Amino acid sequence: MKIGELSRRTGVPARMLRYYEEQGLLRPDRAGNGYRDYPPSAVDRVRQVRGLLDSGLTTDIIRRVLPFLEKPTDLHVHPECVTPELVELVRAEADRIKARIDCLSRNHDAIRAYLDAVTERLRHTAS
Amino acid sequence: MKIGELSRRTGVPARMLRYYEEQGLLRPDRAGNGYRDYPPSAVDRVRQVRGLLDSGLTTDIIRRVLPFLEKPTDLHVHPECVTPELVELVRAEADRIKARIDCLSRNHDAIRAYLDAVTERLRHTAS
DNA sequence: GTTTGCCTTCACACTGATGTGAGGGTTTCA
DNA sequence: TGAAACCCTCACATCAGTGTGAAGGCAAAC
């Protein structure tokens, strides 16, 4: 699929898809005329990248953890490329992600509780 | 407490504490000499702001949801200030936060699974 | 075959969060 | 009294992610 269609399907501007490629997050091949050619799986990949970006990860971090994000069943990262340093780095990033989850969860719960209290109050005054 | 101490206690540069104030996230009062004077509760407040910032929220959003984040027991936002529009806005932001949590959770689980598979593999080859 | 639309690269601009330093007042302590 | 360590404001710089537009090639449709 060409960049325009991927853009329409994901809602991500073509400009950004080119940027993500420049950052090593996407690797479309090229048709004979130079046009980018994305596999259907790119749609999910783009959504995943967007989600992580929205959650405060940098393209640099995302590029590093991306290989660890697909089917966990069998390792498709060559085992000899997985240095202890890399594992440590990824583990540290996982911890930071966990911290984000905890922080967001706490705040989400607080907001929901507040919202519930407000609507409850409204129900009361209405009756 | 003065800005230097708050900075030391939170690990956030004084520059940033001034910036958060400019963005309406902190409201220290001023001593006679113009120095900022923070209450002890500012430590937690700063940590909360940092966590949300790291999780991809903007200072603008944080400022808006901050009043909804404290003790949910009794509403200390004047009920008459809580317009339906504001409630809707906060609800929408809560949904976006939920989406972030889900995205991060999925990816965190995938990374952990990968990490576990790798260490398992290492345990095997070691034996 | 020309128009229309999508693609290419390049480049400059903006925004939000942050770093950094200048220039100057205040507190503390020797 | 002077030095060190705070604090203040102001302003310019940087970085990542994005927006936008120019200049031009390719493709499908009239």
Side-chain angles (χ1 to χ4, degrees), chain B residues 18-116:
Chain B
R18 297 194 185 99
Y19 176 66
Y20 299 154
E21 177 180 356
E22 185 187 318
Q23 299 299 305
L25 307 181
L26 257 28
R27 302 189 192 286
D29 30 300
R30 300 291 182 132
N33 50 14
Y35 287 14
R36 290 168 178 82
D37 182 27
Y38 297 89
S41 63
V43 175
D44 283 340
R45 161 68 60 112
V46 168
R47 284 202 243 267
Q48 185 168 39
V49 166
R50 283 289 343 150
L52 292 173
L53 235 19
D54 283 343
S55 301
L57 278 70
T58 63
T59 55
D60 187 72
I61 298 292
I62 296 173
R63 177 165 26 76
R64 280 198 264 230
V65 301
L66 222 35
F68 295 78
L69 251 36
E70 339 234 339
K71 315 284 165 354
T73 53
D74 61 346
L75 310 185
H76 54 306
V77 174
H78 294 174
E80 61 273 21
C81 301
V82 181
T83 69
E85 296 76 32
L86 179 56
V87 169
E88 216 25 67
L89 191 147
V90 172
R91 195 188 303 279
E93 198 50 41
D95 289 349
R96 263 187 299 256
I97 291 175
K98 183 66 169 53
R100 283 191 180 92
I101 293 171
D102 292 344
C103 173
L104 289 175
S105 294
R106 276 196 309 276
N107 286 291
H108 182 261
D109 291 351
I111 293 177
R112 290 259 35 127
Y114 218 114
L115 247 25
D116 292 350

